Amino acid sequence: MRTPPLPTVPSRTVLWDVDGTLLLNSTKAGTFYHDAIREVAGVGPAPDEPHAVEHGKTDAQIITERLERWGGDPALFGAVSARMDELSDAYLTDAARRVAAPGVDDALHAVAGAGWTNGLLTGNSRHRARVKLAGAGLDVDAFDWDRSYFGDRFVRRSDLTAAARDDLDGATAVILGDTPADGEAADAVGFPFVAVATGVYSVEDLRATSAVVVVPDLVEGLPLVLEALGRL
């Protein structure tokens, strides 16, 4: 039986980051990595280990770096990633449920209304992204999951954007994220970058990137985002 082809590549796509962009960051985010690595590889951080800055990194990069730092077997990477997916079903409900960033629902509708497809480009796995978004009350069907890109197998975020570039094959694609790493990954493949300061980085921090526009959030900043998209 022949595999049916993917739907036609959309001509214009906004590739949304998840953590810090669509969803507010969680102070418990590191729990997934700690618990999955400890359960699978039997290693963990030293009591006095300083907290690593990991905003903008992919899941694959974080798992790889932590296994190396803690002396875990790198061959267990796949098992750790799979365990994180399993833990997300329990961790991302009830008290740990994620919260949508201000204005996200209206922004998704407005972007689609302006003729753009909403996709994802995130450091999360497909499963974790879906569980997080659904848990926050966002409509997962608002996104084109066939043309979304997930970082559970890409150690470098620029490799993730390269995969998106190759798959979208000349279509206009924009990265919308909250970290300089999003901007650097966009720059690596020539995608425009739209920045929103709902993560840990300030408007001033993000203005130091290549962003075509920087907004404080998607309530006050939505008109500027739509204006920027209209120029592309």
Side-chain angles (χ1 to χ4, degrees):
M1 178 180 291
R2 295 175 59 186
T3 302
L6 286 172
T8 302
V9 174
S11 60
R12 299 192 299 171
T13 299
V14 174
L15 294 173
W16 295 81
D17 177 51
V18 173
D19 297 306
T21 302
L22 289 169
L23 305 178
L24 296 179
N25 285 319
S26 168
T27 58
K28 299 180 179 179
T31 301
F32 286 92
Y33 305 99
H34 280 69
D35 289 356
I37 292 172
R38 186 176 291 109
E39 290 178 19
V40 173
V43 296
D48 58 347
E49 179 177 300
H51 179 70
V53 177
E54 295 175 323
H55 299 287
K57 293 184 178 181
T58 66
D59 280 359
Q61 182 177 2
I62 294 171
I63 294 170
T64 298
E65 290 177 350
R66 291 193 185 193
L67 282 172
E68 180 179 359
R69 191 162 67 244
W70 299 340
D73 183 351
L76 294 173
F77 168 85
V80 172
S81 182
R83 183 57 180 152
M84 285 182 62
D85 277 354
E86 294 170 353
L87 291 174
S88 69
D89 292 327
Y91 286 8
L92 296 174
T93 57
D94 302 329
R97 191 179 300 275
R98 299 298 293 275
V99 177
V104 162
D105 194 56
D106 287 344
L108 290 170
H109 284 89
V111 167
W116 292 76
T117 295
N118 288 306
L120 298 169
L121 191 142
T122 171
N124 292 280
S125 72
R126 178 185 296 269
H127 181 80
R128 287 189 66 207
R130 184 178 286 272
V131 170
K132 286 183 178 182
L133 295 172
L138 294 177
D139 179 9
V140 296
D141 292 330
F143 301 96
D144 183 345
W145 291 86
D146 288 328
R147 303 295 178 181
S148 291
Y149 307 92
F150 305 95
D152 55 323
R153 290 294 181 269
F154 292 91
V155 173
R156 298 191 306 174
R157 201 174 190 96
S158 58
D159 289 338
L160 183 54
T161 49
R165 175 202 58 200
D166 295 346
D167 186 48
L168 292 172
D169 192 24
T172 300
V174 178
I175 301 294
L176 202 159
D178 68 292
T179 74
D182 294 306
E184 291 164 4
D187 295 344
V189 298
F191 286 172
F193 174 46
V194 171
V196 57
T198 43
V200 300
Y201 292 95
S202 68
V203 167
E204 290 72 24
D205 293 331
L206 294 169
R207 281 179 177 156
T209 72
S210 64
V212 296
V213 65
V214 180
V215 297
D217 57 46
L218 291 169
V219 177
E220 176 183 338
L222 181 57
L224 290 175
V225 170
L226 294 174
E227 181 182 328
L229 293 177
R231 296 195 301 265
L232 298 175

Short mmCIF file of all heavy atoms in Angstrom, two decimals, residues 47-79:
data_model
loop_
_atom_site.label_atom_id
_atom_site.label_comp_id
_atom_site.label_asym_id
_atom_site.label_seq_id
_atom_site.Cartn_x
_atom_site.Cartn_y
_atom_site.Cartn_z
N PRO A 47 24.39 17.69 44.98
CA PRO A 47 23.54 18.60 45.77
C PRO A 47 23.88 20.07 45.57
O PRO A 47 22.99 20.92 45.65
CB PRO A 47 23.83 18.15 47.21
CG PRO A 47 24.28 16.73 47.09
CD PRO A 47 25.03 16.66 45.81
N ASP A 48 25.16 20.38 45.30
CA ASP A 48 25.56 21.78 45.18
C ASP A 48 25.72 22.22 43.73
O ASP A 48 26.30 23.28 43.46
CB ASP A 48 26.88 22.01 45.92
CG ASP A 48 28.00 21.11 45.40
OD1 ASP A 48 27.70 20.16 44.65
OD2 ASP A 48 29.17 21.37 45.76
N GLU A 49 25.20 21.42 42.79
CA GLU A 49 25.35 21.79 41.38
C GLU A 49 24.56 23.05 41.08
O GLU A 49 23.36 23.12 41.36
CB GLU A 49 24.88 20.66 40.47
CG GLU A 49 24.99 21.00 38.99
CD GLU A 49 24.60 19.84 38.09
OE1 GLU A 49 25.24 18.79 38.19
OE2 GLU A 49 23.64 20.00 37.31
N PRO A 50 25.19 24.07 40.48
CA PRO A 50 24.44 25.29 40.13
C PRO A 50 23.43 25.01 39.02
O PRO A 50 23.61 24.10 38.20
CB PRO A 50 25.54 26.24 39.64
CG PRO A 50 26.65 25.35 39.19
CD PRO A 50 26.60 24.16 40.11
N HIS A 51 22.37 25.78 39.02
CA HIS A 51 21.32 25.60 38.02
C HIS A 51 21.82 26.05 36.66
O HIS A 51 22.31 27.17 36.50
CB HIS A 51 20.07 26.40 38.40
CG HIS A 51 18.96 26.28 37.41
ND1 HIS A 51 18.24 25.12 37.24
CD2 HIS A 51 18.46 27.18 36.52
CE1 HIS A 51 17.34 25.31 36.30
NE2 HIS A 51 17.45 26.55 35.85
N ALA A 52 21.72 25.20 35.68
CA ALA A 52 22.17 25.54 34.33
C ALA A 52 21.12 26.39 33.62
O ALA A 52 19.92 26.21 33.81
CB ALA A 52 22.42 24.26 33.53
N VAL A 53 21.59 27.32 32.79
CA VAL A 53 20.68 28.12 31.97
C VAL A 53 20.36 27.31 30.73
O VAL A 53 21.23 27.05 29.89
CB VAL A 53 21.33 29.47 31.59
CG1 VAL A 53 20.39 30.25 30.68
CG2 VAL A 53 21.65 30.27 32.84
N GLU A 54 19.10 26.89 30.60
CA GLU A 54 18.73 25.98 29.52
C GLU A 54 17.59 26.51 28.65
O GLU A 54 17.09 25.80 27.78
CB GLU A 54 18.36 24.61 30.11
CG GLU A 54 19.57 23.94 30.77
CD GLU A 54 19.23 22.64 31.47
OE1 GLU A 54 18.14 22.56 32.07
OE2 GLU A 54 20.06 21.72 31.43
N HIS A 55 17.20 27.77 28.86
CA HIS A 55 16.14 28.34 28.04
C HIS A 55 16.58 28.40 26.58
O HIS A 55 17.67 28.87 26.27
CB HIS A 55 15.78 29.73 28.54
CG HIS A 55 15.28 29.75 29.95
ND1 HIS A 55 14.03 29.28 30.31
CD2 HIS A 55 15.86 30.16 31.11
CE1 HIS A 55 13.87 29.42 31.61
NE2 HIS A 55 14.96 29.94 32.11
N GLY A 56 15.72 27.92 25.71
CA GLY A 56 16.01 27.91 24.28
C GLY A 56 16.68 26.65 23.79
O GLY A 56 16.84 26.45 22.59
N LYS A 57 17.09 25.75 24.71
CA LYS A 57 17.70 24.49 24.30
C LYS A 57 16.61 23.47 23.96
O LYS A 57 15.51 23.52 24.49
CB LYS A 57 18.60 23.94 25.41
CG LYS A 57 19.83 24.79 25.69
CD LYS A 57 20.72 24.14 26.73
CE LYS A 57 21.99 24.95 26.98
NZ LYS A 57 22.89 24.31 27.98
N THR A 58 16.96 22.53 23.10
CA THR A 58 16.04 21.44 22.79
C THR A 58 16.09 20.38 23.89
O THR A 58 17.06 20.30 24.65
CB THR A 58 16.40 20.77 21.46
OG1 THR A 58 17.68 20.12 21.59
CG2 THR A 58 16.46 21.78 20.32
N ASP A 59 15.06 19.57 23.95
CA ASP A 59 15.07 18.44 24.89
C ASP A 59 16.28 17.55 24.65
O ASP A 59 16.92 17.08 25.60
CB ASP A 59 13.80 17.60 24.73
CG ASP A 59 12.60 18.20 25.43
OD1 ASP A 59 12.76 19.27 26.06
OD2 ASP A 59 11.51 17.62 25.36
N ALA A 60 16.60 17.30 23.37
CA ALA A 60 17.73 16.43 23.06
C ALA A 60 19.03 17.01 23.59
O ALA A 60 19.89 16.29 24.12
CB ALA A 60 17.83 16.21 21.56
N GLN A 61 19.20 18.32 23.48
CA GLN A 61 20.41 18.96 23.98
C GLN A 61 20.48 18.88 25.50
O GLN A 61 21.54 18.56 26.07
CB GLN A 61 20.46 20.42 23.53
CG GLN A 61 21.74 21.14 23.98
CD GLN A 61 21.81 22.57 23.47
OE1 GLN A 61 20.89 23.05 22.81
NE2 GLN A 61 22.90 23.25 23.78
N ILE A 62 19.37 19.14 26.16
CA ILE A 62 19.36 19.12 27.63
C ILE A 62 19.65 17.71 28.15
O ILE A 62 20.45 17.52 29.07
CB ILE A 62 18.02 19.64 28.16
CG1 ILE A 62 17.85 21.13 27.81
CG2 ILE A 62 17.92 19.45 29.67
CD1 ILE A 62 16.47 21.69 28.10
N ILE A 63 18.98 16.71 27.58
CA ILE A 63 19.22 15.32 28.02
C ILE A 63 20.66 14.93 27.77
O ILE A 63 21.33 14.35 28.65
CB ILE A 63 18.26 14.36 27.29
CG1 ILE A 63 16.82 14.62 27.69
CG2 ILE A 63 18.64 12.91 27.61
CD1 ILE A 63 15.81 13.88 26.83
N THR A 64 21.18 15.23 26.58
CA THR A 64 22.56 14.87 26.24
C THR A 64 23.55 15.52 27.19
O THR A 64 24.48 14.87 27.69
CB THR A 64 22.86 15.28 24.79
OG1 THR A 64 21.99 14.57 23.90
CG2 THR A 64 24.31 14.98 24.43
N GLU A 65 23.37 16.81 27.45
CA GLU A 65 24.30 17.53 28.32
C GLU A 65 24.22 17.03 29.76
O GLU A 65 25.25 16.91 30.44
CB GLU A 65 24.02 19.02 28.26
CG GLU A 65 24.40 19.65 26.92
CD GLU A 65 24.06 21.12 26.83
OE1 GLU A 65 23.34 21.64 27.72
OE2 GLU A 65 24.50 21.77 25.86
N ARG A 66 23.02 16.74 30.24
CA ARG A 66 22.89 16.27 31.61
C ARG A 66 23.46 14.86 31.78
O ARG A 66 24.12 14.57 32.78
CB ARG A 66 21.43 16.32 32.07
CG ARG A 66 20.91 17.74 32.24
CD ARG A 66 19.60 17.75 32.97
NE ARG A 66 19.02 19.08 33.04
CZ ARG A 66 18.00 19.42 33.83
NH1 ARG A 66 17.45 18.51 34.62
NH2 ARG A 66 17.54 20.65 33.84
N LEU A 67 23.22 13.98 30.82
CA LEU A 67 23.81 12.64 30.90
C LEU A 67 25.34 12.74 30.94
O LEU A 67 26.00 12.05 31.72
CB LEU A 67 23.37 11.79 29.71
CG LEU A 67 21.95 11.20 29.77
CD1 LEU A 67 21.61 10.55 28.44
CD2 LEU A 67 21.83 10.18 30.90
N GLU A 68 25.89 13.61 30.11
CA GLU A 68 27.35 13.77 30.09
C GLU A 68 27.85 14.36 31.40
O GLU A 68 28.84 13.87 31.97
CB GLU A 68 27.74 14.68 28.93
CG GLU A 68 29.24 14.91 28.81
CD GLU A 68 29.61 15.78 27.63
OE1 GLU A 68 28.70 16.21 26.88
OE2 GLU A 68 30.81 16.07 27.46
N ARG A 69 27.15 15.38 31.90
CA ARG A 69 27.60 16.06 33.12
C ARG A 69 27.51 15.14 34.34
O ARG A 69 28.34 15.21 35.24
CB ARG A 69 26.75 17.31 33.32
CG ARG A 69 27.23 18.26 34.39
CD ARG A 69 26.62 19.64 34.24
NE ARG A 69 25.20 19.68 34.48
CZ ARG A 69 24.29 20.01 33.55
NH1 ARG A 69 24.66 20.30 32.30
NH2 ARG A 69 22.99 20.05 33.84
N TRP A 70 26.50 14.27 34.35
CA TRP A 70 26.27 13.43 35.52
C TRP A 70 26.86 12.03 35.39
O TRP A 70 26.70 11.19 36.27
CB TRP A 70 24.77 13.33 35.79
CG TRP A 70 24.12 14.66 36.08
CD1 TRP A 70 24.74 15.81 36.49
CD2 TRP A 70 22.73 14.97 35.97
NE1 TRP A 70 23.83 16.82 36.65
CE2 TRP A 70 22.58 16.34 36.34
CE3 TRP A 70 21.60 14.24 35.60
CZ2 TRP A 70 21.34 16.98 36.34
CZ3 TRP A 70 20.36 14.88 35.60
CH2 TRP A 70 20.24 16.24 35.97
N GLY A 71 27.52 11.76 34.27
CA GLY A 71 28.17 10.46 34.10
C GLY A 71 27.23 9.36 33.67
O GLY A 71 27.53 8.18 33.88
N GLY A 72 26.11 9.70 33.03
CA GLY A 72 25.19 8.68 32.56
C GLY A 72 25.61 8.12 31.21
O GLY A 72 26.38 8.74 30.47
N ASP A 73 25.11 6.96 30.89
CA ASP A 73 25.42 6.30 29.63
C ASP A 73 24.69 7.01 28.49
O ASP A 73 23.45 7.05 28.46
CB ASP A 73 24.96 4.83 29.70
CG ASP A 73 25.31 4.03 28.45
OD1 ASP A 73 25.76 4.64 27.45
OD2 ASP A 73 25.10 2.81 28.48
N PRO A 74 25.41 7.59 27.51
CA PRO A 74 24.74 8.29 26.42
C PRO A 74 23.83 7.39 25.58
O PRO A 74 22.91 7.87 24.92
CB PRO A 74 25.91 8.84 25.58
CG PRO A 74 27.10 8.04 25.97
CD PRO A 74 26.88 7.65 27.39
N ALA A 75 24.07 6.08 25.63
CA ALA A 75 23.23 5.16 24.88
C ALA A 75 21.81 5.10 25.43
O ALA A 75 20.90 4.58 24.76
CB ALA A 75 23.85 3.75 24.90
N LEU A 76 21.60 5.63 26.62
CA LEU A 76 20.27 5.64 27.24
C LEU A 76 19.44 6.85 26.83
O LEU A 76 18.33 7.03 27.32
CB LEU A 76 20.41 5.59 28.76
CG LEU A 76 21.00 4.31 29.33
CD1 LEU A 76 21.24 4.45 30.83
CD2 LEU A 76 20.09 3.12 29.04
N PHE A 77 19.97 7.66 25.93
CA PHE A 77 19.25 8.88 25.52
C PHE A 77 17.81 8.58 25.10
O PHE A 77 16.87 9.24 25.55
CB PHE A 77 19.99 9.56 24.36
CG PHE A 77 19.20 10.63 23.69
CD1 PHE A 77 19.18 11.92 24.18
CD2 PHE A 77 18.43 10.35 22.57
CE1 PHE A 77 18.42 12.90 23.58
CE2 PHE A 77 17.67 11.32 21.95
CZ PHE A 77 17.67 12.60 22.47
N GLY A 78 17.62 7.62 24.21
CA GLY A 78 16.28 7.32 23.71
C GLY A 78 15.33 6.88 24.81
O GLY A 78 14.16 7.28 24.83
N ALA A 79 15.82 6.10 25.75
CA ALA A 79 14.98 5.61 26.85
C ALA A 79 14.60 6.76 27.78
O ALA A 79 13.48 6.82 28.29
CB ALA A 79 15.71 4.53 27.63
#
